């Protein structure tokens, strides 16, 4: 597997990083199970992790996949 750069949207503000990794992995797994390639799924994971740091807590800060803003490379 070749290395790839995965862009991540910059959060508007960082409130709490709790759960950001879990948000990344959850979105990554969801997109892989939907048939996305690893690099494409990682873009969704990065967006989920970025979105999750903008609110306090873990699960309560997670966005729905449909609400994520993807970074443009």
């Amino acid at each position: 597997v070749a290395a790839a750069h995965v862009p991540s949207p910059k959060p508007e503000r960082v409130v709490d990083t709790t759960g950001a990794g879990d948000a990344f992995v959850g979105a990554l797994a969801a997109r892989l199970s939907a048939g996305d390639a690893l690099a494409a799924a990682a873009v969704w994971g990065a967006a989920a992790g970025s979105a999750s740091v903008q609110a306090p807590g873990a699960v309560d800060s997670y966005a729905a996949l449909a609400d994520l803003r993807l970074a443009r490379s």
Side-chain angles (χ1 to χ4, degrees):
V1 174
H5 172 76
V6 176
S8 178
K10 183 175 180 174
E12 293 178 23
R13 65 182 205 265
V14 176
V15 175
D16 185 357
T17 60
T18 303
D22 293 333
F24 174 90
V25 171
L28 177 78
R31 295 309 308 168
L32 287 172
S33 69
D36 285 4
L38 180 57
V43 170
W44 285 96
S50 178
S52 75
V53 302
Q54 298 181 62
V59 175
D60 292 339
S61 69
Y62 295 165
L65 282 176
D67 296 331
L68 293 178
R69 179 179 52 89
L70 301 181
R72 305 292 177 225
S73 51

